[in-house]
Amino acid sequence: MSSNTYSTHLQPDADLRLLVAVAGRLLVIVGIVIVVTLDAPAGLRLMGSIGCGVAGFLEIRRLDDGFAYCSQVRFESNGEVSIRNPDGDWVSCRILTGTLVFVNVAFLYLETTDGRRLFEPLRGCAKKCNNWRRFMVIWRHIGATPRSC
């Protein structure tokens, strides 16, 4: 008798996405302010602030593109992770170093098979949500397993 595949589907949290996006933008501004206030020649401060702004803009754009690309995350008991793209197709991913999973919040750093890197914040409560409870059970198994990155 075969058993069903144990899996769960989770929606990225819109509020956490907003928090991450706002915090990222504020950190870019803070970085630029710090560079501008350094005790260095004006030309060096200008170049540093432009560099900080461009690097921050590119990272925020990548973050926003990732948010737009992922509508759902699926975890399977065998360790496979996939995301649902805007076309509704499931795209296989691997978990990257930098992923943090806590009791009620998870910050996933994923890479798709085509090399796209995504950051997805998730939130849930095992007492109230069966999908989050399944995720926590699966994570106990796959999160402790060393992965190549």
Side-chain angles (χ1 to χ4, degrees), residues 8-12 70-75 90 108 122-123 129 131-133 135:
T8 188
H9 297 79
L10 296 170
Q11 300 283 112
C70 176
S71 63
Q72 204 171 28
V73 183
R74 178 174 62 194
F75 290 90
W90 288 101
L108 305 177
L122 305 170
R123 179 171 47 177
C129 177
N131 282 330
W132 189 262
R133 184 179 12 253
F135 167 63

PDB file of all heavy atoms in Angstrom, residues 8-12 70-75 90 108 122-123 129 131-133 135:
ATOM      1  N   THR A   8       3.324  20.525   2.047  1.00  0.00           N
ATOM      2  CA  THR A   8       2.552  21.685   2.489  1.00  0.00           C
ATOM      3  C   THR A   8       2.764  22.835   1.527  1.00  0.00           C
ATOM      4  O   THR A   8       3.796  22.915   0.859  1.00  0.00           O
ATOM      5  CB  THR A   8       2.936  22.101   3.926  1.00  0.00           C
ATOM      6  OG1 THR A   8       2.036  23.105   4.375  1.00  0.00           O
ATOM      7  CG2 THR A   8       4.358  22.605   4.011  1.00  0.00           C
ATOM      8  N   HIS A   9       1.782  23.685   1.440  1.00  0.00           N
ATOM      9  CA  HIS A   9       1.841  24.880   0.596  1.00  0.00           C
ATOM     10  C   HIS A   9       1.672  26.094   1.499  1.00  0.00           C
ATOM     11  O   HIS A   9       0.746  26.142   2.300  1.00  0.00           O
ATOM     12  CB  HIS A   9       0.707  24.876  -0.436  1.00  0.00           C
ATOM     13  CG  HIS A   9       0.784  23.750  -1.398  1.00  0.00           C
ATOM     14  ND1 HIS A   9       0.381  22.476  -1.089  1.00  0.00           N
ATOM     15  CD2 HIS A   9       1.238  23.700  -2.668  1.00  0.00           C
ATOM     16  CE1 HIS A   9       0.566  21.693  -2.136  1.00  0.00           C
ATOM     17  NE2 HIS A   9       1.085  22.420  -3.111  1.00  0.00           N
ATOM     18  N   LEU A  10       2.560  27.073   1.339  1.00  0.00           N
ATOM     19  CA  LEU A  10       2.495  28.284   2.152  1.00  0.00           C
ATOM     20  C   LEU A  10       2.493  29.524   1.271  1.00  0.00           C
ATOM     21  O   LEU A  10       3.174  29.563   0.247  1.00  0.00           O
ATOM     22  CB  LEU A  10       3.691  28.346   3.111  1.00  0.00           C
ATOM     23  CG  LEU A  10       3.754  27.242   4.156  1.00  0.00           C
ATOM     24  CD1 LEU A  10       5.094  27.280   4.869  1.00  0.00           C
ATOM     25  CD2 LEU A  10       2.617  27.369   5.145  1.00  0.00           C
ATOM     26  N   GLN A  11       1.739  30.519   1.690  1.00  0.00           N
ATOM     27  CA  GLN A  11       1.684  31.803   1.000  1.00  0.00           C
ATOM     28  C   GLN A  11       2.702  32.742   1.636  1.00  0.00           C
ATOM     29  O   GLN A  11       2.748  32.840   2.865  1.00  0.00           O
ATOM     30  CB  GLN A  11       0.304  32.442   1.152  1.00  0.00           C
ATOM     31  CG  GLN A  11      -0.830  31.624   0.600  1.00  0.00           C
ATOM     32  CD  GLN A  11      -0.905  31.711  -0.885  1.00  0.00           C
ATOM     33  OE1 GLN A  11      -0.651  30.733  -1.553  1.00  0.00           O
ATOM     34  NE2 GLN A  11      -1.220  32.862  -1.398  1.00  0.00           N
ATOM     35  N   PRO A  12       3.501  33.449   0.852  1.00  0.00           N
ATOM     36  CA  PRO A  12       4.353  34.480   1.436  1.00  0.00           C
ATOM     37  C   PRO A  12       3.490  35.529   2.122  1.00  0.00           C
ATOM     38  O   PRO A  12       2.390  35.842   1.673  1.00  0.00           O
ATOM     39  CB  PRO A  12       5.084  35.065   0.232  1.00  0.00           C
ATOM     40  CG  PRO A  12       5.070  33.960  -0.781  1.00  0.00           C
ATOM     41  CD  PRO A  12       3.748  33.273  -0.580  1.00  0.00           C
ATOM     42  N   CYS A  70       7.043  34.939  -7.069  1.00  0.00           N
ATOM     43  CA  CYS A  70       6.605  33.832  -6.209  1.00  0.00           C
ATOM     44  C   CYS A  70       5.251  34.121  -5.569  1.00  0.00           C
ATOM     45  O   CYS A  70       5.090  35.114  -4.874  1.00  0.00           O
ATOM     46  CB  CYS A  70       7.649  33.592  -5.123  1.00  0.00           C
ATOM     47  SG  CYS A  70       7.184  32.344  -3.924  1.00  0.00           S
ATOM     48  N   SER A  71       4.298  33.224  -5.800  1.00  0.00           N
ATOM     49  CA  SER A  71       2.993  33.388  -5.165  1.00  0.00           C
ATOM     50  C   SER A  71       2.733  32.327  -4.097  1.00  0.00           C
ATOM     51  O   SER A  71       1.830  32.484  -3.283  1.00  0.00           O
ATOM     52  CB  SER A  71       1.885  33.337  -6.210  1.00  0.00           C
ATOM     53  OG  SER A  71       1.852  32.073  -6.834  1.00  0.00           O
ATOM     54  N   GLN A  72       3.519  31.264  -4.112  1.00  0.00           N
ATOM     55  CA  GLN A  72       3.314  30.184  -3.159  1.00  0.00           C
ATOM     56  C   GLN A  72       4.594  29.356  -3.064  1.00  0.00           C
ATOM     57  O   GLN A  72       5.349  29.250  -4.038  1.00  0.00           O
ATOM     58  CB  GLN A  72       2.152  29.304  -3.624  1.00  0.00           C
ATOM     59  CG  GLN A  72       1.474  28.527  -2.554  1.00  0.00           C
ATOM     60  CD  GLN A  72       0.205  27.866  -3.091  1.00  0.00           C
ATOM     61  OE1 GLN A  72       0.087  27.561  -4.268  1.00  0.00           O
ATOM     62  NE2 GLN A  72      -0.741  27.633  -2.209  1.00  0.00           N
ATOM     63  N   VAL A  73       4.834  28.772  -1.893  1.00  0.00           N
ATOM     64  CA  VAL A  73       5.995  27.910  -1.684  1.00  0.00           C
ATOM     65  C   VAL A  73       5.487  26.533  -1.270  1.00  0.00           C
ATOM     66  O   VAL A  73       4.583  26.427  -0.441  1.00  0.00           O
ATOM     67  CB  VAL A  73       6.929  28.471  -0.590  1.00  0.00           C
ATOM     68  CG1 VAL A  73       8.161  27.602  -0.431  1.00  0.00           C
ATOM     69  CG2 VAL A  73       7.317  29.906  -0.877  1.00  0.00           C
ATOM     70  N   ARG A  74       6.071  25.502  -1.873  1.00  0.00           N
ATOM     71  CA  ARG A  74       5.664  24.127  -1.550  1.00  0.00           C
ATOM     72  C   ARG A  74       6.872  23.382  -0.990  1.00  0.00           C
ATOM     73  O   ARG A  74       7.954  23.398  -1.572  1.00  0.00           O
ATOM     74  CB  ARG A  74       5.146  23.419  -2.789  1.00  0.00           C
ATOM     75  CG  ARG A  74       4.753  21.967  -2.544  1.00  0.00           C
ATOM     76  CD  ARG A  74       4.110  21.327  -3.749  1.00  0.00           C
ATOM     77  NE  ARG A  74       5.045  21.292  -4.879  1.00  0.00           N
ATOM     78  CZ  ARG A  74       4.685  21.031  -6.126  1.00  0.00           C
ATOM     79  NH1 ARG A  74       3.417  20.803  -6.420  1.00  0.00           N
ATOM     80  NH2 ARG A  74       5.575  21.013  -7.088  1.00  0.00           N
ATOM     81  N   PHE A  75       6.672  22.715   0.136  1.00  0.00           N
ATOM     82  CA  PHE A  75       7.685  21.867   0.746  1.00  0.00           C
ATOM     83  C   PHE A  75       7.177  20.439   0.737  1.00  0.00           C
ATOM     84  O   PHE A  75       6.039  20.188   1.112  1.00  0.00           O
ATOM     85  CB  PHE A  75       7.938  22.275   2.202  1.00  0.00           C
ATOM     86  CG  PHE A  75       8.637  23.582   2.345  1.00  0.00           C
ATOM     87  CD1 PHE A  75       7.911  24.755   2.430  1.00  0.00           C
ATOM     88  CD2 PHE A  75      10.015  23.647   2.403  1.00  0.00           C
ATOM     89  CE1 PHE A  75       8.543  25.971   2.560  1.00  0.00           C
ATOM     90  CE2 PHE A  75      10.655  24.859   2.530  1.00  0.00           C
ATOM     91  CZ  PHE A  75       9.921  26.019   2.614  1.00  0.00           C
ATOM     92  N   TRP A  90       4.917  25.257 -11.220  1.00  0.00           N
ATOM     93  CA  TRP A  90       5.784  25.011 -10.074  1.00  0.00           C
ATOM     94  C   TRP A  90       7.227  24.943 -10.566  1.00  0.00           C
ATOM     95  O   TRP A  90       7.538  24.208 -11.491  1.00  0.00           O
ATOM     96  CB  TRP A  90       5.408  23.723  -9.363  1.00  0.00           C
ATOM     97  CG  TRP A  90       4.121  23.858  -8.607  1.00  0.00           C
ATOM     98  CD1 TRP A  90       2.901  23.416  -8.988  1.00  0.00           C
ATOM     99  CD2 TRP A  90       3.941  24.511  -7.352  1.00  0.00           C
ATOM    100  NE1 TRP A  90       1.958  23.750  -8.048  1.00  0.00           N
ATOM    101  CE2 TRP A  90       2.579  24.419  -7.027  1.00  0.00           C
ATOM    102  CE3 TRP A  90       4.799  25.165  -6.470  1.00  0.00           C
ATOM    103  CZ2 TRP A  90       2.051  24.942  -5.854  1.00  0.00           C
ATOM    104  CZ3 TRP A  90       4.275  25.690  -5.296  1.00  0.00           C
ATOM    105  CH2 TRP A  90       2.916  25.588  -4.997  1.00  0.00           C
ATOM    106  N   LEU A 108      13.001  32.664   4.005  1.00  0.00           N
ATOM    107  CA  LEU A 108      13.578  31.694   3.081  1.00  0.00           C
ATOM    108  C   LEU A 108      14.431  32.385   2.035  1.00  0.00           C
ATOM    109  O   LEU A 108      14.012  33.370   1.435  1.00  0.00           O
ATOM    110  CB  LEU A 108      12.477  30.908   2.371  1.00  0.00           C
ATOM    111  CG  LEU A 108      11.464  30.198   3.245  1.00  0.00           C
ATOM    112  CD1 LEU A 108      10.417  29.534   2.372  1.00  0.00           C
ATOM    113  CD2 LEU A 108      12.145  29.184   4.142  1.00  0.00           C
ATOM    114  N   LEU A 122       7.792  34.217   5.481  1.00  0.00           N
ATOM    115  CA  LEU A 122       6.576  33.459   5.768  1.00  0.00           C
ATOM    116  C   LEU A 122       6.244  33.620   7.241  1.00  0.00           C
ATOM    117  O   LEU A 122       7.132  33.784   8.076  1.00  0.00           O
ATOM    118  CB  LEU A 122       6.776  31.973   5.464  1.00  0.00           C
ATOM    119  CG  LEU A 122       7.238  31.587   4.068  1.00  0.00           C
ATOM    120  CD1 LEU A 122       7.602  30.118   4.032  1.00  0.00           C
ATOM    121  CD2 LEU A 122       6.167  31.896   3.056  1.00  0.00           C
ATOM    122  N   ARG A 123       4.945  33.529   7.547  1.00  0.00           N
ATOM    123  CA  ARG A 123       4.521  33.620   8.938  1.00  0.00           C
ATOM    124  C   ARG A 123       3.375  32.644   9.156  1.00  0.00           C
ATOM    125  O   ARG A 123       2.529  32.452   8.281  1.00  0.00           O
ATOM    126  CB  ARG A 123       4.069  35.048   9.233  1.00  0.00           C
ATOM    127  CG  ARG A 123       3.590  35.248  10.636  1.00  0.00           C
ATOM    128  CD  ARG A 123       3.344  36.681  10.994  1.00  0.00           C
ATOM    129  NE  ARG A 123       2.579  37.401   9.969  1.00  0.00           N
ATOM    130  CZ  ARG A 123       2.197  38.650  10.091  1.00  0.00           C
ATOM    131  NH1 ARG A 123       2.506  39.332  11.163  1.00  0.00           N
ATOM    132  NH2 ARG A 123       1.504  39.237   9.143  1.00  0.00           N
ATOM    133  N   CYS A 129      -2.761  26.742  12.191  1.00  0.00           N
ATOM    134  CA  CYS A 129      -2.639  26.495  10.759  1.00  0.00           C
ATOM    135  C   CYS A 129      -1.993  25.134  10.493  1.00  0.00           C
ATOM    136  O   CYS A 129      -0.826  24.917  10.841  1.00  0.00           O
ATOM    137  CB  CYS A 129      -1.809  27.615  10.123  1.00  0.00           C
ATOM    138  SG  CYS A 129      -1.510  27.387   8.371  1.00  0.00           S
ATOM    139  N   ASN A 131      -1.107  23.877   7.611  1.00  0.00           N
ATOM    140  CA  ASN A 131      -0.001  23.986   6.662  1.00  0.00           C
ATOM    141  C   ASN A 131       1.296  24.395   7.366  1.00  0.00           C
ATOM    142  O   ASN A 131       2.369  23.896   7.034  1.00  0.00           O
ATOM    143  CB  ASN A 131      -0.324  24.966   5.541  1.00  0.00           C
ATOM    144  CG  ASN A 131      -1.241  24.366   4.516  1.00  0.00           C
ATOM    145  OD1 ASN A 131      -1.226  23.163   4.283  1.00  0.00           O
ATOM    146  ND2 ASN A 131      -2.053  25.194   3.901  1.00  0.00           N
ATOM    147  N   TRP A 132       1.211  25.322   8.315  1.00  0.00           N
ATOM    148  CA  TRP A 132       2.415  25.736   9.048  1.00  0.00           C
ATOM    149  C   TRP A 132       2.929  24.577   9.917  1.00  0.00           C
ATOM    150  O   TRP A 132       4.136  24.359  10.009  1.00  0.00           O
ATOM    151  CB  TRP A 132       2.127  26.961   9.904  1.00  0.00           C
ATOM    152  CG  TRP A 132       3.389  27.526  10.492  1.00  0.00           C
ATOM    153  CD1 TRP A 132       3.880  27.320  11.746  1.00  0.00           C
ATOM    154  CD2 TRP A 132       4.339  28.368   9.834  1.00  0.00           C
ATOM    155  NE1 TRP A 132       5.070  27.981  11.905  1.00  0.00           N
ATOM    156  CE2 TRP A 132       5.376  28.633  10.746  1.00  0.00           C
ATOM    157  CE3 TRP A 132       4.409  28.929   8.557  1.00  0.00           C
ATOM    158  CZ2 TRP A 132       6.466  29.431  10.426  1.00  0.00           C
ATOM    159  CZ3 TRP A 132       5.506  29.720   8.246  1.00  0.00           C
ATOM    160  CH2 TRP A 132       6.515  29.965   9.175  1.00  0.00           C
ATOM    161  N   ARG A 133       2.026  23.838  10.514  1.00  0.00           N
ATOM    162  CA  ARG A 133       2.424  22.687  11.327  1.00  0.00           C
ATOM    163  C   ARG A 133       3.158  21.658  10.459  1.00  0.00           C
ATOM    164  O   ARG A 133       4.201  21.141  10.841  1.00  0.00           O
ATOM    165  CB  ARG A 133       1.192  22.068  11.993  1.00  0.00           C
ATOM    166  CG  ARG A 133       1.514  20.932  12.930  1.00  0.00           C
ATOM    167  CD  ARG A 133       0.295  20.324  13.633  1.00  0.00           C
ATOM    168  NE  ARG A 133      -0.999  20.706  13.151  1.00  0.00           N
ATOM    169  CZ  ARG A 133      -1.839  21.534  13.788  1.00  0.00           C
ATOM    170  NH1 ARG A 133      -1.512  22.061  14.926  1.00  0.00           N
ATOM    171  NH2 ARG A 133      -3.015  21.822  13.268  1.00  0.00           N
ATOM    172  N   PHE A 135       4.741  22.316   7.680  1.00  0.00           N
ATOM    173  CA  PHE A 135       6.022  22.936   7.339  1.00  0.00           C
ATOM    174  C   PHE A 135       7.046  22.723   8.457  1.00  0.00           C
ATOM    175  O   PHE A 135       8.202  22.367   8.199  1.00  0.00           O
ATOM    176  CB  PHE A 135       5.825  24.427   7.062  1.00  0.00           C
ATOM    177  CG  PHE A 135       7.106  25.213   7.017  1.00  0.00           C
ATOM    178  CD1 PHE A 135       8.067  24.960   6.048  1.00  0.00           C
ATOM    179  CD2 PHE A 135       7.353  26.203   7.950  1.00  0.00           C
ATOM    180  CE1 PHE A 135       9.250  25.686   6.012  1.00  0.00           C
ATOM    181  CE2 PHE A 135       8.531  26.933   7.912  1.00  0.00           C
ATOM    182  CZ  PHE A 135       9.479  26.663   6.949  1.00  0.00           C
TER     183      PHE A 135
END
